[in-house]
Amino acid sequence: MKILKITTNYFMMLFMACVFVLGFANMHCVEAADLYTPTNYWNDDKNYPLAFAQNGVSRYVDLSSAKIIEQKENVEENSKTTVFAYDVIMVNGDITTKFSYKTMIRFINDEFYIASARANGDGWFQLSDRSFDQPQYNATLILADYFGVDK
């Protein structure tokens, strides 16, 4: 009975590991789709599109601060990479806070990847369109659309 329990636990752990690995492997890229379309603007000002809102806190991209700081194309890889620098205004009731970001979008064939610069300036980390990453992810799509960057 003890061997059966150990074997069952082993196979369950192996199964869960496979599910995690396959899920993680599929999460690293996003197939090309329409770029993000803002549904709202701060004080109806088109210069501040809404990137994300949750629990009464809204994050708006400041398009007047946005700039492309690097752009590369690699014909052999069929890839195009653009790096943006921009500010986001976080609005929580009467309190506004400004944050500065550097993100990149990379198109490879029919997929794209979005990454954010590490705070210590040492490389990039990939963003997801879920949870904590979603505000920067959406902001990067807004900027790609604003500057006409696509594959």
Side-chain angles (χ1 to χ4, degrees):
M1 190 65 155
K2 187 174 182 178
I3 292 174
L4 180 61
K5 185 175 182 179
I6 291 170
T7 304
T8 303
N9 287 343
Y10 172 77
F11 283 112
M12 286 300 291
M13 286 176 27
L14 185 60
F15 175 75
M16 292 306 292
C18 289
V19 169
F20 176 76
V21 168
L22 291 173
F24 185 72
N26 290 331
M27 209 170 79
H28 78 282
C29 67
V30 177
E31 290 186 22
D34 292 335
L35 295 178
Y36 185 82
T37 303
T39 58
N40 199 329
Y41 298 87
W42 187 28
N43 296 326
D44 293 323
D45 186 338
K46 297 287 185 188
N47 196 49
Y48 296 95
L50 178 67
F52 188 77
Q54 185 176 38
N55 299 327
V57 179
S58 300
R59 292 168 183 86
Y60 300 91
V61 179
D62 178 0
L63 294 177
S64 67
S65 70
K67 58 187 169 193
I68 294 175
I69 58 175
E70 185 180 340
Q71 214 165 15
K72 291 189 277 187
E73 192 164 351
N74 184 324
V75 176
E76 293 83 33
E77 286 184 355
N78 192 24
S79 70
K80 184 177 184 180
T81 304
T82 304
V83 178
F84 303 103
Y86 59 97
D87 294 335
V88 168
I89 308 299
M90 185 171 72
V91 179
N92 186 358
D94 293 336
I95 301 168
T96 59
T97 310
K98 181 174 83 170
F99 299 94
S100 296
Y101 294 103
K102 186 164 85 170
T103 57
M104 108 171 118
I105 188 166
R106 185 167 191 218
F107 293 92
I108 301 175
N109 296 317
D110 289 333
E111 300 176 338
F112 64 85
Y113 305 83
I114 295 177
S116 180
R118 294 189 187 280
N120 64 5
D122 185 24
W124 299 87
F125 65 93
Q126 191 165 338
L127 298 175
S128 153
D129 64 348
R130 297 178 184 98
S131 70
F132 183 75
D133 295 341
Q134 195 170 1
Q136 277 187 286
Y137 185 94
N138 291 351
T140 304
L141 290 177
I142 289 170
L143 292 172
D145 188 50
Y146 178 73
F147 286 109
V149 174
D150 60 17
K151 64 177 186 153

